[in-house]
Amino acid sequence: MKIIMLGAPGAGKGTQAKKIAEKYAIPHISTGDIFRANIKNGTELGQKAKGYMDQGLLVPDELVVDLVADRVKQDDCKNGYVLDGFPRTIPQAEALDHALAEMGEKMDYAINVEVPDENIVNRMSGRRACVDCGATYHIVYAPTKEDGVCDKCGGSLILRDDDKPETVKKRLGVYHDQTQPLIDYYTNAGILKEVDGTIEIEDVFGEIVKILGA
Ligand code: ADP
Ligand code: ADP
Ligand code: ZN
């Protein structure tokens, strides 16, 4: 089962992708997580990506396309995977289709998690991420047992720099210009599915399981 998660920043793609990966035992591939890990480790890719990310802009297609094309060819992707945060532009989607076609494969589902812009800034200012394991929480909607401490690993939680309101507004603009056209792209490909992302996390997941099958 090969799945793409679509939606605005903060729509809940990562939250749902992690649950899908666990239930269906397939890898969760988040390009944002890959870039953040590269920044943390001081790699050349991380250094190139950081400036764009800090400004709320997309990292150029050429820095992300090969990375994902290589990742989905790995052994653990044999039974499928869930892509979170990729593709984000039409050229990325075309490159993905091309890489899959070379292997005689195609994507099965593109799930669009719909949340109106007015909910997004609120979502993002409450998002907290674990510095050690990348788990995400929300101070109101998905709180940890102990304030500021990751339930999964005990690491400390931070507000991502790019989740501050000014950068979030910029990212929303970028989303509408560059990423939203993918909704038509995957509608035309016949694989788009929509879910309401404003309901509770478990209920969103229930809708997704209905689409994917139990
Ligand atoms: P969110 O989950 O809030 O949408 P991500 O973690 O997916 O954020 O992405 C954070 C940042 O990483 C983006 O704002 C962008 O700069 C960069 N990024 C992640 N994935 C991509 C991609 N596929 N193409 C270009 N830039 C990306
Ligand atoms: P994305 O990967 O699309 O950027 P996240 O999955 O990181 O989004 O979710 C953004 C924030 O909103 C997180 O703090 C998360 O805990 C919270 N969140 C996710 N889904 C919901 C939901 N259905 N209702 C309320 N808050 C949610
Ligand atoms: Zn953690």
Side-chain angles (χ1 to χ4, degrees):
M1 188 149 49
K2 295 188 281 297
I3 305 162
I4 294 167
M5 301 304 293
L6 292 177
K13 301 179 298 296
T15 300
Q16 299 299 329
K18 288 189 182 94
K19 295 172 78 67
I20 294 169
E22 195 176 328
K23 178 172 169 74
Y24 298 96
I26 52 178
H28 167 211
I29 303 173
S30 158
T31 44
D33 286 351
I34 294 171
F35 286 134
R36 281 185 290 276
N38 274 274
I39 291 172
K40 198 172 164 188
N41 296 328
T43 69
E44 195 182 328
L45 176 65
Q47 281 168 13
K48 285 185 185 156
K50 187 175 188 310
Y52 298 100
M53 292 171 72
D54 285 348
Q55 291 182 69
L57 300 173
L58 293 183
V59 173
D61 291 337
E62 55 270 28
L63 292 183
V64 67
V65 160
D66 291 346
L67 186 115
V68 176
D70 289 344
R71 180 67 188 85
V72 300
K73 286 177 188 150
Q74 315 242 307
D75 257 6
D76 64 334
C77 290
K78 276 200 311 284
N79 298 322
Y81 43 83
V82 51
L83 294 180
D84 164 18
F86 182 94
R88 260 185 158 92
T89 64
I90 297 279
Q92 289 181 17
E94 289 169 346
L96 175 65
D97 281 349
H98 184 78
L100 290 178
E102 280 181 349
M103 299 186 276
E105 294 179 2
K106 61 182 186 50
M107 293 306 301
D108 299 308
Y109 299 97
I111 300 175
N112 183 37
V113 184
E114 278 192 289
V115 175
D117 284 10
E118 47 274 26
N119 301 17
I120 294 290
V121 175
N122 180 26
R123 281 253 182 123
M124 304 296 254
S125 55
R127 171 155 70 179
R128 295 293 180 272
C130 174
V131 286
D132 292 328
C133 77
T136 46
Y137 301 93
H138 190 282
I139 51 174
V140 179
Y141 309 120
T144 47
K145 293 192 186 76
E146 197 184 327
D147 269 0
V149 181
C150 178
D151 285 350
K152 297 199 174 75
C153 80
S156 43
L157 304 186
I158 52 153
L159 171 66
R160 269 166 50 183
D161 259 345
D162 62 343
D163 280 352
K164 293 179 178 149
E166 279 322 299
T167 316
V168 170
K169 283 180 198 148
K170 179 94 150 286
R171 289 164 64 199
L172 270 177
V174 168
Y175 167 76
H176 290 300
D177 287 349
Q178 294 183 262
T179 307
Q180 211 170 16
L182 294 179
I183 294 174
D184 283 344
Y185 183 94
Y186 289 112
T187 302
N188 293 335
I191 62 168
L192 189 85
K193 305 284 173 187
E194 309 252 14
V195 295
D196 177 359
T198 64
I199 58 179
E200 283 186 25
I201 292 173
E202 287 305 326
D203 297 335
V204 179
F205 189 56
E207 293 301 309
I208 291 175
V209 172
K210 272 191 216 159
I211 292 166
L212 301 178

